[in-house]
Amino acid sequence: MRIHVVSDVHGRADALKSAGDGADALICLGDLILFVDYSDHGQGIFADLFGQENADRFIALRTDKRFDEAREFSRGLWASLEGDAWPHIERAVDRQYAELFAAMPAPAYLTYGNVDIPRMWEPHLREGHRVLDGETTEIGGLRFGFVGGGLRTEYRTPYELDDDAFAAKVEAVGEVDVLCCHIPPAVPDLLYDTVARRFERGSEAILDAIHRTQPKYVLFGHVHQPLAARTRIGRTECVNVGHFRARGVPYVLTV
């Protein structure tokens, strides 16, 4: 059985349309929407609303880890819009989800990324789309577990969880053949982004589950330009399936 796996789609509806070509199923590990594009500052919801010059400034502040200044700067921009900020964000997110789920192949097994807004997925799901988070399913005779979202950070993205809540989802999945997550296990080489020049947060709970249960594979995304795209822990192959927005091609898993 051939399974295609994508993560960090960030608006690439054009490439998503063909991501399932030749596969028996598609797995999507989240981060569908594009809010801010660190590679092309003119793309994404923030730039659409406030222009590239303001996006340049916002990204520069966050890259320099001046998070309080970035939040103050963005608050001023949001206050310049008519009415509350959230309806503007929600409309933009809803437009992106409509386009992305229309392009999403089926059958597809999906979990959330840290920038996703779970409650906004439901209206856009089509027949053959199955969302799993802290849950398992059988694909090709193997048991797959899914753990969505990320951990708390200074970036305050929409689907960040406390460590205990995230660990509870990992525990609920239990022993599986393939563990599918949005974020990596807490292994430094898997967490360091060589372009952003920073460590992203990884999960100690996932790492502990690997040591305890030794799944055949752990698949994840989140880190766009990792120092190491894969590593082996015991019998477990840990694989970053790639930054789909940049690559436009899925990772291929044969089971």
Side-chain angles (χ1 to χ4, degrees):
M1 185 173 189
R2 181 183 173 104
I3 299 169
H4 288 181
V5 190
V6 300
S7 185
D8 301 272
V9 176
H10 294 302
R12 280 298 304 273
D14 59 329
L16 191 59
K17 290 178 182 178
S18 58
D21 289 357
D24 297 291
L26 178 78
I27 289 174
C28 179
L29 304 180
D31 271 11
L32 293 181
I33 64 169
L34 181 65
F35 187 75
V36 174
D37 191 333
Y38 284 79
S39 298
D40 182 351
H41 300 179
Q43 300 295 315
I45 292 171
F46 194 91
D48 287 346
L49 289 172
F50 303 119
Q52 182 170 337
E53 185 175 338
N54 285 319
D56 290 341
R57 174 66 175 159
F58 181 67
I59 290 168
L61 290 170
R62 289 178 61 147
T63 301
D64 290 343
K65 297 182 170 59
R66 295 156 63 185
F67 297 110
D68 289 340
E69 290 179 64
R71 280 190 282 272
E72 185 64 27
F73 176 67
S74 66
R75 272 196 292 268
L77 293 174
W78 292 114
S80 71
L81 298 177
E82 182 180 347
D84 293 334
W86 178 247
H88 295 277
I89 298 172
E90 190 170 70
R91 284 192 294 269
V93 170
D94 195 63
R95 286 193 296 269
Q96 285 196 16
Y97 278 153
E99 182 181 13
L100 288 158
F101 280 103
M104 184 81 67
Y109 302 86
L110 307 98
T111 199
Y112 309 111
N114 61 291
V115 304
D116 286 312
I117 303 173
R119 67 173 181 80
M120 294 186 68
W121 278 26
E122 181 63 33
H124 300 292
L125 296 173
R126 297 187 294 110
E127 185 176 356
H129 294 168
R130 183 175 178 189
V131 181
L132 301 109
D133 188 14
E135 301 165 276
T136 63
T137 192
E138 184 176 302
I139 308 172
L142 297 181
R143 187 174 178 83
F144 282 69
F146 291 80
V147 179
L151 296 169
R152 301 286 182 198
T153 71
E154 288 283 357
Y155 297 99
R156 300 183 185 181
T157 50
Y159 194 42
E160 293 182 351
L161 304 168
D162 293 335
D163 286 42
D164 288 350
F166 191 92
K169 292 198 296 184
V170 177
E171 183 67 23
V173 164
E175 292 192 26
V176 292
D177 299 298
V178 183
L179 179 57
C180 298
C181 319
H182 179 68
I183 64 172
V187 176
D189 284 358
L190 301 176
L191 300 180
Y192 187 72
D193 190 306
T194 60
V195 174
R197 292 182 294 177
R198 66 170 183 256
F199 285 96
E200 303 289 353
R201 281 207 69 189
S203 170
E204 294 286 353
I206 294 172
L207 182 59
D208 180 62
I210 292 170
H211 287 301
R212 287 187 294 103
T213 67
Q214 290 283 282
K216 187 174 182 180
Y217 295 100
V218 175
L219 307 178
F220 50 87
H222 188 56
V223 182
H224 293 177
Q225 297 89 197
L227 182 63
R230 61 196 305 153
T231 194
R232 181 172 285 275
I233 301 172
R235 69 180 290 270
T236 302
E237 190 74 17
C238 302
V239 182
N240 186 320
V241 302
H243 180 202
F244 188 74
R245 175 168 176 79
R247 296 179 61 213
V249 295
Y251 173 79
V252 177
L253 178 69
T254 304
V255 298

